[in-house]
Amino acid sequence: MNWKQVKEMHDNGMHIGSHTCDHIDCAKTDKNELVNQLTLSKKVIEKELNQGFTTLAYPFGGKENFNEIAKKEAINAGYNCILSAYGGINDSVEKYDIKRVGIDWTYSELAFQARLYGW
């Protein structure tokens, strides 16, 4: 995608968040590079889309792909919330470790509702 397409999506109500610059494994990346990736990605998105609220979705998103250092540096970089991808239901939301489950276009409305409730 190019920035024109991203802006069109944003202008039509989609929130665009960060995934770092180069899809790094946040748990295995040198701290300086991690900080650079988090900071630059956030800065570019906010500039290009003229938005001040930026979320982060950890690349790969498994529990092994982020750690307390990554979480701390994302918070220091100013991210408002962080999404994982290891699954699970958020009984209460920890805004720097929001769990997500996969849902796609093949889900019926009933299957979608079931997924929301952890079935």
Side-chain angles (χ1 to χ4, degrees), residues 1-62:
M1 290 181 15
N2 59 44
W3 279 110
K4 181 180 178 189
Q5 294 166 320
V6 173
K7 287 177 186 176
E8 181 179 354
M9 291 169 57
H10 180 261
D11 292 345
N12 282 287
M14 294 192 80
H15 177 77
I16 307 299
S18 172
H19 207 47
T20 70
C21 295
D22 298 314
H23 202 271
I24 60 170
D25 185 330
C26 294
K28 294 179 180 140
T29 300
D30 168 78
K31 183 178 172 184
N32 289 333
E33 180 62 17
L34 173 66
V35 169
N36 288 337
Q37 291 270 331
L38 293 170
T39 304
L40 181 59
S41 177
K42 182 177 184 295
K43 193 178 293 186
V44 169
I45 290 169
E46 290 178 346
K47 178 181 177 256
E48 290 289 337
L49 300 179
N50 195 29
Q51 72 178 28
F53 177 90
T54 303
T55 59
L56 170 69
Y58 287 116
F60 310 105

